[in-house]
Every structure is written in structure tokens, then in C-alpha cells.
Amino acid sequence: QTSLSIWGWGSLGVVLFLVTFGPFAIFYFAFYILCFVGGGFVVTLLFGKSNSEKYLEQCEHSFLPCTSVGIPKCIEEMKREARPIKIDRRLTGANIIDEPLQQVIQFSLRDYVQYWYYTLSDDESFLLEIRQALQYALVQFSARSKETDWQPYFTTRLVDDFGTHLRVFRKAQQRIAEKGDQMKDQAEELVDTFFEVEVEMEKEVCRDLVCTSPKDEEGFLRDLCEVLLYILLPPGDFQNKIMRYFVREILSRGILLPLVNQLSDPDYINQYVIWMIRDSNCNYEAFMNIIKLSDNIGELEAVKDKASEELQYLRSLDTAGDDINTIKNQINSLLYVIKVCDSRIQRLQSGKEIDTVKLAANFGKLCTVPLDHILVDNVALQFFMDYMQQTGGQAHLFFWMTVEGYRVTAQQQLEVLQSRQKDGKHQTNQTKGLLRAAAFGVYEQYLSEKASPRVNIDDNLVAKLAETLNHEDPTPEIFDDIQRKVYEMMLRDERFYPSFKQNVLYVRMLAELDMLKDPSFRGSDDGEGESFNGSPTGSINLSLDDLSNVPSDETVQLHAYISDTGVCNDHGKTYALYAITVHRRNPNSEETWKTYRRYSDFHDFHMRITEQFENLANILKLPGKKTFNNMDREFLEKRKKDLNAYLQLLLNPEMMKASPALAHYVYDFLENKAYSKGKGDFARKMDTFVNPLRNSMRNVSNAVKSLPDSLAEGMTKMSDNMGKMSERLGQDIKQSFFKVPPLMQKTYSDPDHCRVAAPIDDNVDDNIPLRVMLLLMDEVFDLKERNQWLRRNIKNLLQQLIRATYGDTINRKIVDHVDWMTSPEQVADAVKRFRDAFWPNGILAETVPRRDKAIRMRTRVAGKTKLLEVMPDELKHIIGAETTRKGILRVFEMFQHAQLNKRMVYVFLERFLETLFPQNKFHELFNKLHSRSKQMQRYKQRLHSTQAPSLQK
């Protein structure tokens, strides 16, 4: 009831309100209430704001510290208008270089900075400061480049580093071959072995981390770029970390890293090789040789797939008439290629690789090379010479060749004599005396009772020859009868030529002559029709004096060291002089004195003892010559240290004990007297007599290149008639042929486990092109492991080629060529090529997609085929076809590993920076940057473990 009364009274009130005020009264009432509430809120807000401001003002003056003056100044500077930065567009002083360089800077900033910077700010000052810093660095770099002598870098360091890289690769291949089938991944194993050999050779550094780890490579480039910025930038700019980091990243990740990756990409190198020899057409024979020699299954499968594709295309053609025969021939050729690829793949997968030489030696039917062909072929002769030395018959071969040399030289002498007699000049007795002395030299060397080794021949013929020499004038044909008998003996005696044909050396000879499967010589064993008048291509041996009678006093102790060095000036000629302090101790006395020697004295002494004791050439290494800047104090100190090491090795008691006759030469060199350069009257007469032989080499094909020492016995001067022979030619001839038995064993020090920067040959180090060519041939074709007679012949051939092509001014021409390479025009051309490669048509080049594996493999095959095809036949005739193939394929294989290519690129870069900044100790810096190498750490552990027992002992 109560609730009903409440609702009733409420309803009555609402009805009365609506009747009294109308239906819109409720809206007016709500509006009045809302206005009341809003007005109250506004009044409260205004009142609170005014009171808060008063309160904050009181707090600011009462409690807070003073405002810093830096903030208003910073705001004021920001409000000011930015002052323009002036950019000097001159960089190198040569406008043809500056223009493309400015474009490279502009493109780099546009593509690596501006594209993201403008999303943050429109202020140009930061970009201008980066550009200014880059230009300043380039200006400093250009100034350093102009002050640098680039000749040693291009002619010595670059070649030495490449030769060292090739030597490390060759040693790594040898180790892999020794491991045999124990490898799982040959490529990975080769890379690991390569860096093992590198650390053994370099001793101080190994670049395995930089070349195999992308993260470490990026870190290395960042560190290197930061060092370069420290050197090139002013201190203020370098301390600006933000700008320095930007420039560092642009250089390392934007320029250097892509450049290194491209230069080390095997596919890029293969394409470049094909482009360089694009004018050479591949022939079918070279292509099939590559297929048969390939040990890469990927290459064979790629060639097979392409051949199958071409085969399907040819079979789909609808042809008739003459074209059908052509199509059939092409189909047969492709079927043969596929068959060879299948056979080779099966053999490689089964692991049954066949050694062609061993197979031919055991089961093959070998072709016959007549003896007269062997004696006139450089490649064949070296193998026959090795065999004759093994069997003790070298005296017969050397005698035959010496007589050939005597005949050619005697004919030349008589022709010169006749021409001079026509001119009214009479020197008959003198020339005949020379010929008689030469003939007696041959007789004494090989036929007399004192000869060792002696040619065993009919005593009646020897007596008849002796009678002729004593009573008649010698003629070019005086030795023909005995020479014919010696030839018959070598041809018929079972110890010589018949047994040689059954020896593995004969099979290797056939491989070098490329005759294992395609015989080109067809001759008989009976010697019918063999010629005795042809002279072989090669050098005639220079016999050594008998040193067995030289006394050796083991009680005498000799010690010597270089105590000081200086530079002397004699009549305008400057040279270095070394003071040697010598101590000689006898049982009853002791002596000390000083003697003074030039480097040329050391060189002459070294040549004399290595000629007399050939095995010393592999043990004693004289510091090499230097053509330029050889009077620098730093260089003289280094040479002094190297010469001291040479003296200590020479005076080693074991060395003197093994070679007793060596003591006589050492005492003579260290005596306190003027050193008598040259080889005395004996050798000077030999040099005078050898000069016409040099002329005969130019005019007569297959003429001999040298004569034995004994031929020069008793000769008088002939400078008016024949001119003087240069000392170098005499040294080359003196070393040309004869090999004495080793007098002492090789030391443990292996020259293959050292850098190639050591002099390759003392008497060629001052001839830049000869040095470069001989070094590369040594490493590419492994000539040091071959017959030294062959290597000397190659050296003589290269000398004649260089002199005939360039004359005596070759070094000057090389210096001029280096100047041309570093000229503004060439530098500008290189910058333009770099710009066009990275920004073709001014647009950043996109990353080239990696080509399909099959295409890359076929490119490898094409590159190898091109290289083998471009090799001249003359080179194969000199060092052998098999050696040429192996050498070329070794070089090509070296470039098929990206990690190894990176190593070579970084080595070139390091040497470049060491040459450009010689005062900044980049060598030590690189050693520190590579110090985290795992191979280096393992090497140090092995070295420590091997040294620890000896130290404890």
C-alpha cells in the first residue's frame, strides 16, 4: 500500500507539472542543469591556472638553479642560417683523373647515404662534410702515390707474391696427393692444407680467417679502412665518430668487399681468361685432352648434358642431301664425347685412377725414338742424360757432345781466319795454337790416362789420335773416328741406349714428347743411316778441375763476420764496401785481421765455388742483387745481416769437412789482400775462346752453347779478333752441363718452404724481365725439380730472346713502362673502368645473379681448353708436352678456389699499402690483424712442442 501511494503521488506530480509548464519543460530543465555544471567547471579551471602560474613562478625564483647558457646559444645557432661549405673539386692535380673521381664520390653518396638520409633531414651540411672528408683523404692518397717509387712493387714484390702463392698451392697439392684416398672433401681439404703450408712458409702470418670467414673478412676490412682514415684524415674529422663510421662502412662494405668478391670469383676469372684469349679458336684435340684429363665430375657431367642436348637437337632436324652427311658426322662426334665423359666419370667414381706413365711402362707398346733424335732434342736429351749418369756412362755422352762443340767452334774459327787472311791480317799460328790447345783439352779430359771418368775406347784409336795431335795441325774432323765409335757404343751396348728404352725414364720422355699414344718417330735400333755431323741443341759440359789434391788442415779454425759497412766513391762510381773481421786459430798461434770486400766480390766468389761444388748451389743462397735504391742505409744493413748468415753457413765445420777442397777458396777470399776478381787466366782464355761459339749459336741451328774448361787450356788472348765475352755469359756457360756427385747431403732446410722473394739466380737478379720469366717458369713448371741442365738451357734461351727483342736497355724500358702505367692517363682510365663497372650509365649496378652450375663448369672447360691451345709449341719442345700441360693446368686449378683467390688479392693489397705507406709499419699491423688465425695458433703450438724438449735438454 505504501509503494502504491508513492507511485500515485509521483504520477500526480508529473501530470500537474506537464499541465502547468507544457511538454517541453523537461528539456529546458535539463539544459539549465548542464549550463550550471559547465560554468562551474570553467570557473574552477581558470582560477586554478592563474594560481598555478603564480605558484610556479614563486618556485622558479626560490628553489630551481639558473638556466645553462649553452642551451640558448645552441638554440640561437640552430636558428641561424647554415653557412655554405666550399668544396674544392681538385683532387690529384690532373683534371682527367679528378672528373671521374668526383663522379665516383657523387654516386657513392647518392646510393649509400642520400637515399636514407633525406628521410631524416633536409639539411645538406652533413652530406657536404662527408664529401669534404672523402676528398681530403683522396688528396692525401694522391700525394703519397706521387712520392712512391712503384717500380720495385710491379717488378719484384708483385711477382714474388704471385710466385709464393703458386708455390704454396703446389706444395699443398703434393700433400693432398700423398694422403691419397683419405680425403672426404677434396676442395675443403685443399684449402685447409694450403693455409697449413702458408703458415709454414710465412712463419709470421696466416690469412685463413680473412679468406674463409665472411664475418672476419668484414671485420678485417673495417679495421683496415679505419687505419687508412686515421692516416689520411685530419684529426678533427677522424674524431667525429659518426662521420668516420659512415665513411668506413662505405669504403669497406660498399666498395672494397664487392671488389674483392668479384676479383676472387673463379667464374669471373674464367670468363676473363676466355675474353683475353678470345682470338684463339679451340680445336677438337685440345678439347678432348681436357676431357680425358679432367678430374672434376661436375665438369664432365656439364659437358655430357650439353652434348646430349645438342644430340637431341640434331636428331630432330629434317635434312636431306649433302647436309645429312654433315649431321651424321656431328652426331658421331657428340656420341664419342658422351662416351668419353661416361667412361671418365665411372673411373673417377670408382676411385681407380690410372697413371698413364706406369701403365705404359708395364704393359704399353712404346714407339721407338732413335738415338740421333734423342741427342738433338732438348727434352729427350735431359732424360737420356739422367739415365747415363745413373749407369755411369755420362763420360761417353759428354765426350760425344763436346766433340760436336769442338767441331762447330773449330769450323767457325777457321772461317774467321780465312776471312781475315783475305783482308791481309795474318794470325794463322795463333789460331792454330788455340785449336791445338782445345783439342788437347778434349783429349786430356776424356781419353788420357789421367781422365776421370775416362771414355773406354780402342787404344789403337787413342794412340793414333795422340800421334796426330803431336805432329799435325788439328782439324774440325780430328775426333770423328773416336766419336763414331763412342756413338756405336752408346747405341749397341746393353748398358746404355737398349736399356734406356726399357727404363721408366724413357716412358717419361715419351710423355714429355707427347708420344705415348701417337708415335711420331719411327726409327730402327740398328743405327743405319744415323748422322754424325748434326749437333744437338743444348750445352756442352764444362768439366771441373780435379780438386782431390787440395790439402785440408782440419786443425785450423777459421771464423769471420762482417763488422761494418759503408759507401765508397771511386772516381764518381759509388758502391758499398763490407769490412770482414777474420780470426784464424792454429795449434800454436792465433791471427786476426780485417779485409774489405764489395758485393760483387761476394758474387764472384759464390759463382766460383758453386761451379766447382755444384751441390753447394742448393745449400748456399747469396742475397740477391738490387738494381734500384741499393745504397739505402736500411738496405745495406739488411744485406750485411744476410751476408753474415751466408758466411756463417759457409764456415760451418760440417760444410768444410764435407768439402775439404772448399777451404782453399775460402782462405783465398778472406785473406787480407785485394780480391782477384774473375777466374784467372784459365777462365779468361775460356771466355775468349767461347765467343765464336756464341756467334755460331746465332747462325747455325742446333749449335752447341758451351765448351768444357779443358778446351781453354793454353789459349792466348783473342780480344782483337773475337771481342770480349761478358762475365755473365761465361758464368752461364760454366754451369751449363756437367754435374759432379754430391759432396755432402742436403740440409733439412727445404728451399721450397720459403718465400720466392729470395733471389732465384744470382746472375739474373739484375735483369728484371729475365728474373720475372725464370721465376714464373720455375714455379709454374716446377723446373727446380727437373734436370738443372734443362733449366740453364731455358735461362740461356730467355736471355737471348730478351736481348734480341729489347737489347741492353731492357731495364730502362721497364722503368719507362712502369711510369706509363702510373701516368695520369692510365690512372684515369682505371678509375673510369671502375666507375662504369659499379655504376653503368650512372646507375648502381645490380648484384649479378650467380650463374647456373652447369654453365660455370662448361666455362671452366672452355678456359682450360683455351689456355692449352694458346701455349706455343716451342715451349712444349723446350720443357716437354707433359710438363707444359701439368704446369698450365696447375695454374688454372689454383684460380678455381675463391678462398685462395681472396688470399692472393689481400696479399697484393697488403704489399700495395706497405709500398704506399712505408713509414707506418703496415707489416706489423697486418701481422696483428691476422694474429687470431687458427692455423697460426696451431703452428705456434707445434713449434713450441718441438722446441721444448731441446730446451730442456
Side-chain angles (χ1 to χ4, degrees):
Q1 293 178 356
T2 302
S3 62
L4 290 174
S5 62
I6 292 174
W7 280 105
W9 285 107
S11 302
L12 180 62
V14 171
V15 172
L16 292 176
F17 179 81
L18 293 175
V19 171
T20 303
F21 297 102
F24 295 98
I26 190 170
F27 296 104
Y28 296 143
F29 183 73
F31 177 72
Y32 294 152
I33 294 175
L34 180 63
C35 290
F36 177 78
V37 174
F41 179 76
V42 171
V43 171
T44 303
L45 180 64
L46 293 175
F47 179 77
K49 179 182 179 182
S50 61
N51 287 342
S52 298
E53 288 177 351
K54 292 179 181 179
Y55 181 77
L56 289 174
E57 186 177 358
Q58 292 176 1
C59 292
E60 181 180 356
H61 293 289
S62 301
F63 305 103
L64 296 179
C66 298
T67 305
S68 174
V69 296
I71 297 177
K73 286 186 177 181
C74 182
I75 296 174
E76 183 180 356
E77 289 290 336
M78 293 176 64
K79 291 180 179 179
R80 290 181 183 179
E81 184 179 357
R83 291 173 295 180
I85 299 177
K86 296 182 179 180
I87 300 294
D88 189 355
R89 299 183 65 85
R90 295 174 299 177
L91 298 175
T92 64
N95 186 53
I96 57 176
I97 303 177
D98 294 346
E99 182 179 353
L101 269 180
Q102 288 290 350
Q103 293 179 344
V104 170
I105 295 175
Q106 179 182 350
F107 294 155
S108 300
L109 293 176
R110 182 195 66 188
D111 295 327
Y112 295 113
V113 179
Q114 290 179 3
Y115 82 96
W116 59 263
Y117 177 75
Y118 282 138
T119 62
L120 304 177
S121 173
D122 295 331
D123 189 8
E124 299 280 348
S125 59
F126 177 72
L127 298 176
L128 293 176
E129 288 179 359
I130 290 183
R131 186 186 189 104
Q132 191 177 32
L134 286 173
Q135 293 194 172
Y136 185 86
L138 288 174
V139 170
Q140 297 299 316
F141 186 87
S142 173
R144 289 288 186 98
S145 300
K146 293 177 182 178
E147 298 172 357
T148 302
D149 180 15
W150 292 108
Q151 181 271 327
Y153 174 76
F154 286 107
T155 60
T156 303
R157 296 183 183 179
L158 206 63
V159 181
D160 289 342
D161 288 332
F162 179 79
T164 301
H165 187 84
L166 183 56
R167 175 175 293 182
V168 175
F169 181 77
R170 176 165 52 84
K171 301 298 290 184
Q173 277 190 325
Q174 292 176 359
R175 290 192 183 181
I176 293 294
E178 292 173 359
K179 293 180 181 179
D181 296 332
Q182 300 176 359
M183 303 169 300
K184 295 181 180 179
D185 188 342
Q186 185 174 2
E188 183 178 352
E189 183 74 14
L190 178 62
V191 172
D192 293 338
T193 307
F194 179 91
F195 288 110
E196 287 179 8
V197 178
E198 181 196 19
V199 72
E200 293 175 3
M201 187 173 294
E202 296 280 359
K203 307 294 184 185
E204 299 177 350
V205 65
C206 183
R207 303 170 182 85
D208 56 337
L209 281 182
V210 175
C211 300
T212 57
S213 171
K215 182 179 179 180
D216 290 297
E217 182 182 11
E218 292 179 3
F220 171 79
L221 289 176
R222 287 195 186 98
D223 294 339
L224 181 59
C225 291
E226 193 148 356
V227 172
L228 291 176
L229 293 177
Y230 173 78
I231 296 174
L232 299 175
L233 290 180
D237 291 341
F238 181 78
Q239 296 301 326
N240 188 340
K241 291 186 178 180
I242 297 177
M243 185 181 67
R244 186 177 83 219
Y245 290 163
F246 274 122
V247 176
R248 184 192 69 182
E249 292 300 315
I250 292 174
L251 291 177
S252 61
R253 293 179 58 85
I255 297 178
L256 286 181
L257 187 59
L259 182 62
V260 171
N261 288 335
Q262 183 177 18
L263 294 178
S264 58
D265 182 18
D267 189 49
Y268 171 79
I269 296 175
N270 296 339
Q271 295 180 63
Y272 188 73
V273 168
I274 295 175
W275 176 82
M276 283 195 303
I277 51 181
R278 58 191 178 277
D279 296 333
S280 173
N281 296 322
C282 297
N283 60 30
Y284 180 77
E285 182 181 358
F287 172 73
M288 292 309 302
N289 282 335
I290 291 298
I291 297 299
K292 295 174 183 178
L293 294 173
S294 176
D295 56 357
N296 189 305
I297 296 179
E299 293 179 0
L300 298 170
E301 289 179 343
V303 173
K304 175 186 172 183
D305 293 342
K306 188 64 177 178
S308 301
E309 180 182 337
E310 291 293 327
L311 184 62
Q312 292 178 1
Y313 171 75
L314 292 176
R315 285 175 172 173
S316 66
L317 294 178
D318 185 12
T319 58
D322 295 336
D323 293 338
I324 192 171
N325 294 326
T326 304
I327 297 298
K328 286 183 177 179
N329 291 334
Q330 294 177 357
I331 290 176
N332 291 333
S333 298
L334 290 173
L335 289 173
Y336 178 69
V337 171
I338 294 173
K339 180 180 179 181
V340 172
C341 290
D342 284 334
S343 175
R344 186 67 180 162
I345 290 173
Q346 292 176 4
R347 184 175 297 169
L348 290 174
Q349 289 177 342
S350 65
K352 297 179 181 179
E353 185 61 22
I354 298 176
D355 189 334
T356 306
V357 173
K358 293 181 179 179
L359 182 66
N362 294 328
F363 305 105
K365 184 178 180 181
L366 305 178
C367 61
T368 300
V369 182
L371 181 59
D372 60 340
H373 287 291
I374 292 177
L375 295 176
V376 298
D377 186 276
N378 263 330
V379 177
L381 184 58
Q382 62 166 316
F383 290 97
F384 187 57
M385 186 188 309
D386 289 340
Y387 176 79
M388 294 293 283
Q389 288 178 340
Q390 292 178 7
T391 58
Q394 67 269 26
H396 299 76
L397 177 61
F398 295 165
F399 170 78
W400 188 92
M401 301 185 70
T402 302
V403 171
E404 289 293 314
Y406 168 82
R407 180 188 298 107
V408 173
T409 307
Q411 291 174 350
Q412 186 75 17
Q413 290 275 23
L414 293 177
E415 290 176 2
V416 172
L417 177 62
Q418 293 175 1
S419 63
R420 291 188 174 273
Q421 285 179 343
K422 293 179 180 179
D423 296 337
K425 299 178 181 180
H426 300 283
Q427 293 180 335
T428 305
N429 294 333
Q430 185 180 13
T431 302
K432 290 182 178 180
L434 291 173
L435 293 179
R436 184 182 300 278
F440 267 108
V442 176
Y443 175 81
E444 292 292 336
Q445 180 69 32
Y446 297 105
L447 302 175
S448 67
E449 296 294 336
K450 299 179 181 180
S452 177
R454 183 175 184 269
V455 176
N456 296 320
I457 203 70
D458 188 359
D459 292 338
N460 294 329
L461 289 176
V462 176
K464 181 180 178 181
L465 174 64
E467 183 71 17
T468 304
L469 288 174
N470 290 327
H471 298 90
E472 298 180 11
D473 292 333
T475 63
E477 298 79 16
I478 191 172
F479 293 101
D480 278 6
D481 292 338
I482 297 181
Q483 186 193 31
R484 186 175 291 105
K485 289 294 183 181
V486 170
Y487 181 88
E488 290 290 336
M489 183 180 298
M490 290 191 295
L491 181 65
R492 309 288 185 188
D493 196 319
E494 288 296 330
R495 297 174 300 165
F496 303 141
Y497 178 67
S499 297
F500 173 62
K501 292 191 296 182
Q502 308 299 323
N503 193 276
V504 68
L505 287 174
Y506 184 78
V507 183
R508 292 177 181 173
M509 180 194 75
L510 294 179
E512 294 292 352
L513 295 175
D514 211 8
M515 295 172 57
L516 275 182
K517 294 184 178 180
D518 183 18
S520 57
F521 286 94
R522 292 297 179 186
S524 60
D525 297 354
D526 55 8
E528 294 285 343
E530 305 279 0
S531 172
F532 294 94
N533 295 322
S535 58
T537 304
S539 299
I540 301 304
N541 68 303
L542 297 177
S543 60
L544 304 177
D545 295 332
D546 186 3
L547 302 176
S548 60
N549 296 326
V550 178
S552 174
D553 190 355
E554 298 182 356
T555 62
V556 178
Q557 297 182 7
L558 193 67
H559 302 279
Y561 64 93
I562 300 177
S563 55
D564 198 7
T565 182
V567 178
C568 299
N569 193 306
D570 184 13
H571 299 289
K573 184 176 181 180
T574 304
Y575 56 87
L577 201 63
Y578 301 90
I580 306 176
T581 302
V582 185
H583 300 279
R584 183 169 62 183
R585 181 178 302 171
N586 297 324
N588 302 323
S589 64
E590 183 176 348
E591 297 178 85
T592 302
W593 69 87
K594 278 192 175 183
T595 187
Y596 299 88
R597 296 288 181 259
R598 297 174 55 180
Y599 175 82
S600 58
D601 299 331
F602 276 95
H603 180 269
D604 183 81
F605 168 73
H606 179 77
M607 294 304 303
R608 293 175 66 180
I609 62 174
T610 52
E611 289 164 5
Q612 298 294 342
F613 311 96
E614 186 174 334
N615 64 305
L616 297 183
N618 297 325
I619 303 171
L620 293 174
K621 296 298 180 183
L622 187 70
K625 294 181 179 179
K626 185 179 180 183
T627 308
F628 305 94
N629 302 325
N630 54 5
M631 292 298 155
D632 294 341
R633 191 65 196 176
E634 182 179 354
F635 171 77
L636 291 179
E637 287 298 324
K638 182 179 181 300
R639 175 172 280 180
K640 170 187 170 183
K641 180 180 178 181
D642 294 339
L643 289 176
N644 259 326
Y646 175 86
L647 276 178
Q648 303 315 311
L649 181 60
L650 180 67
L651 296 174
N652 188 295
E654 296 296 328
M655 178 87 71
M656 306 295 284
K657 184 177 180 181
S659 307
L662 179 63
H664 171 75
Y665 294 90
V666 176
Y667 292 158
D668 181 73
F669 178 74
L670 296 178
E671 280 187 0
N672 188 14
K673 65 177 183 179
Y675 180 67
S676 178
K677 208 178 264 190
K679 308 175 184 63
D681 295 336
F682 178 86
R684 280 195 292 271
K685 294 169 185 176
M686 183 204 70
D687 289 345
T688 307
F689 183 74
V690 168
N691 191 41
L693 178 59
R694 184 188 181 196
N695 296 330
S696 69
M697 288 190 297
R698 298 176 179 175
N699 302 321
V700 183
S701 61
N702 298 328
V704 293
K705 297 180 181 177
S706 59
L707 291 173
D709 296 348
S710 56
L711 298 188
E713 191 69 44
M715 295 182 185
T716 57
K717 294 181 179 180
M718 295 183 63
S719 56
D720 294 337
N721 299 333
M722 305 298 172
K724 293 184 178 181
M725 191 66 159
S726 66
E727 180 181 357
R728 183 180 295 112
L729 181 60
Q731 293 164 355
D732 295 342
I733 292 173
K734 189 87 186 292
Q735 296 185 25
S736 62
F737 199 54
F738 192 71
K739 296 177 66 176
V740 294
L743 299 178
M744 64 179 298
Q745 296 295 326
K746 243 185 178 180
T747 60
Y748 180 74
S749 176
D750 187 356
D752 281 345
H753 283 85
C754 62
R755 287 186 57 83
V756 184
I760 57 172
D761 205 337
D762 298 320
N763 58 341
V764 302
D765 201 54
D766 58 340
N767 190 325
I768 296 175
L770 179 60
R771 179 188 182 278
V772 170
M773 294 173 69
L774 190 57
L775 184 147
L776 293 179
M777 292 191 70
D778 270 346
E779 297 305 325
V780 172
F781 303 111
D782 201 9
L783 295 183
K784 289 187 177 180
E785 301 296 329
R786 303 286 300 279
N787 192 308
Q788 290 301 306
W789 169 82
L790 173 66
R791 187 173 182 271
R792 294 184 188 115
N793 277 347
I794 294 174
K795 186 187 71 176
N796 291 333
L797 179 64
L798 292 176
Q799 282 179 322
Q800 295 174 24
L801 176 64
I802 292 171
R803 289 170 184 169
T805 307
Y806 299 102
D808 297 330
T809 61
I810 180 62
N811 283 356
R812 180 68 258 173
K813 292 181 180 179
I814 288 179
V815 174
D816 293 340
H817 185 71
V818 172
D819 293 339
W820 174 79
M821 291 173 59
T822 55
S823 63
E825 293 78 9
Q826 295 302 311
V827 175
D829 186 60
V831 175
K832 290 178 182 178
R833 289 199 300 267
F834 174 80
R835 177 200 62 191
D836 296 338
F838 274 74
W839 293 277
N841 299 320
I843 302 174
L844 182 64
E846 297 181 358
T847 302
V848 180
R850 188 174 178 82
R851 301 199 305 167
D852 182 69
K853 180 181 178 181
I855 298 177
R856 288 185 278 117
M857 292 295 104
R858 288 196 290 270
T859 304
R860 286 183 55 168
V861 175
K864 287 193 284 188
T865 305
K866 285 269 191 179
L867 282 177
L868 281 187
E869 178 64 23
V870 80
M871 285 297 105
D873 292 336
E874 291 77 9
L875 183 61
K876 300 177 183 178
H877 296 159
I878 294 173
I879 63 177
E882 186 69 14
T883 300
T884 302
R885 273 196 296 267
K886 288 182 178 179
I888 296 302
L889 295 180
R890 179 186 297 119
V891 175
F892 186 86
E893 181 64 25
M894 181 182 70
F895 287 112
Q896 304 312 306
H897 303 274
Q899 299 94 329
L900 307 189
N901 295 337
K902 282 189 177 182
R903 188 262 178 193
M904 185 165 58
V905 172
Y906 282 124
V907 168
F908 289 163
L909 177 61
E910 292 172 11
R911 295 296 177 268
F912 174 81
L913 294 177
E914 290 174 9
T915 305
L916 187 63
F917 305 101
Q919 306 299 328
N920 294 102
K921 299 181 180 180
F922 263 94
H923 181 71
E924 299 178 6
L925 172 66
F926 288 128
N927 288 349
K928 292 181 180 179
L929 292 178
H930 296 301
S931 60
R932 295 187 298 108
S933 165
K934 297 180 181 179
Q935 293 285 359
M936 193 70 197
Q937 294 173 2
R938 287 197 289 264
Y939 174 75
K940 290 181 178 179
Q941 292 175 358
R942 292 197 303 267
L943 192 64
H944 178 73
S945 61
T946 55
Q947 290 179 350
S950 61
L951 292 176
Q952 293 176 0
K953 184 177 180 180

